[in-house]
Amino acid sequence: MGTRGKTIAAALVAVALLGCGFWSRGPSDGNEAARNEAEWAAKQIQAEIGNNGDGRDAESVTATVIMPLQMPPEIQVVPVAWSGRASSDERGVIEIQIDVWEPERKGQSLGDPGQTAGHATACYRYTMQIYRGTAYAGIPCPKTHMTSMPSETPLPRLPDDARARLANALRTATPQTLASTVRAAFPQDYITVDTTTTTDQGTLVAAVGVPHPQTRDCIVMIKDPGAEPKPVDLPRIQLQPGESGCHTRLYTNPVR
């Protein structure tokens, strides 16, 4: 046999051996596929939470972000614990359990060995930090779950009649009573109140707001002597993190 013949024969043997190995390969592991799919689901949840947790409590995020998620039918997501909120001095924590069931799948074509049935259970902890992306990590699955379903806590907002309240306060206030009069109109702890009186014209200036990342409600109103109170147009960008916030300087010292 010539050199060319030997080469062809060797190639045929290699192909035959490869074919034997190919046909002897069994179906892929369904348990491993389920574990991979659980990790995929965990990353999807992280992306969905994103910055939606800014300023919100963990229970609300669980109820409004995680619970409505549409997952493939073989994936079940169950919240098992939630606590805290994402704020300047606190973190929100959500723990979930993901179960994945992979059905047995027969090979459909040459090169497709199919897959065994499989199941995986994995648990993850999501940590929400204000103005940062949500972090997550795998954890041992807890032995007990929350017995109640999570519900949404309404976001803090200024009352619907906030403008009327502030205008009435300014009508009755004096420079000496301005701060106390406006605070009396907005006694809630989550509402900020900032007041001042300009020295040139004696204009009363008041700002009331809710410094919540999801709302950033803010009303600034002034009252010149002998005139009716009137609102001030706000540069909304100044209410963003790191900017002026809801303060009287939005009127007294506006950004040019």
Side-chain angles (χ1 to χ4, degrees), residues 77-119:
V77 176
V78 179
V80 297
W82 49 85
S83 63
R85 70 170 58 246
S87 63
S88 58
D89 56 356
E90 191 177 359
R91 296 180 179 183
V93 176
I94 301 171
E95 295 180 357
I96 64 166
Q97 178 174 305
I98 300 176
D99 279 278
V100 181
W101 290 269
E102 284 286 339
E104 181 182 11
R105 183 175 58 80
K106 302 295 185 181
Q108 300 297 314
S109 62
L110 185 66
D112 178 11
Q115 179 180 282
T116 63
H119 173 255

Side-chain angles (χ1 to χ4, degrees), residues 3-251:
T3 301
R4 181 181 178 187
K6 291 180 180 179
T7 301
I8 294 174
L12 291 174
V13 171
V15 169
L17 291 175
L18 179 62
C20 291
F22 170 80
W23 288 112
S24 64
R25 185 171 56 145
S28 58
D29 184 4
N31 290 331
E32 181 179 359
R35 289 192 292 270
N36 292 337
E37 198 157 1
E39 180 64 24
W40 171 86
K43 290 181 179 178
Q44 296 303 306
I45 293 171
Q46 179 196 31
E48 287 293 332
I49 297 175
N51 291 326
N52 285 319
D54 279 2
R56 302 183 67 192
D57 62 279
E59 183 175 4
S60 293
V61 174
T62 304
T64 61
V65 178
I66 296 179
M67 295 295 290
L69 275 179
Q70 297 295 316
M71 286 288 180
E74 69 272 15
I75 300 177
Q76 181 183 55
V77 176
V78 179
V80 297
W82 49 85
S83 63
R85 70 170 58 246
S87 63
S88 58
D89 56 356
E90 191 177 359
R91 296 180 179 183
V93 176
I94 301 171
E95 295 180 357
I96 64 166
Q97 178 174 305
I98 300 176
D99 279 278
V100 181
W101 290 269
E102 284 286 339
E104 181 182 11
R105 183 175 58 80
K106 302 295 185 181
Q108 300 297 314
S109 62
L110 185 66
D112 178 11
Q115 179 180 282
T116 63
H119 173 255
T121 298
C123 291
Y124 300 87
R125 176 179 292 125
Y126 294 81
T127 303
M128 304 181 304
Q129 303 176 74
I130 196 165
Y131 307 138
R132 298 183 185 180
T134 299
Y136 84 101
I139 60 170
C141 286
K143 295 181 180 180
T144 59
H145 294 186
M146 286 284 193
T147 57
S148 61
M149 294 297 291
S151 59
E152 181 181 9
T153 302
L155 292 174
R157 304 298 298 254
L158 286 174
D160 293 339
D161 63 345
R163 287 181 179 273
R165 287 195 198 187
L166 186 54
N168 287 334
L170 289 175
R171 289 189 188 100
T172 60
T174 66
Q176 294 74 28
T177 65
L178 177 60
S180 60
T181 302
V182 175
R183 174 48 78 186
F186 298 93
Q188 298 90 339
D189 291 340
Y190 63 85
I191 296 180
T192 61
V193 171
D194 186 36
T195 60
T196 190
T197 303
T198 61
T199 56
D200 52 352
Q201 295 180 342
T203 299
L204 304 180
V205 187
V208 295
V210 178
H212 191 285
Q214 298 285 334
T215 57
R216 303 191 213 286
D217 283 354
C218 182
I219 298 173
V220 179
M221 196 171 287
I222 64 172
K223 182 185 182 303
D224 292 322
E228 274 292 293
K230 60 181 180 181
V232 176
D233 290 333
L234 296 178
R236 300 298 297 180
I237 193 172
Q238 293 301 303
L239 303 179
Q240 300 302 312
E243 301 298 335
S244 299
C246 190
H247 296 283
T248 54
R249 59 178 172 268
L250 290 170
Y251 171 74

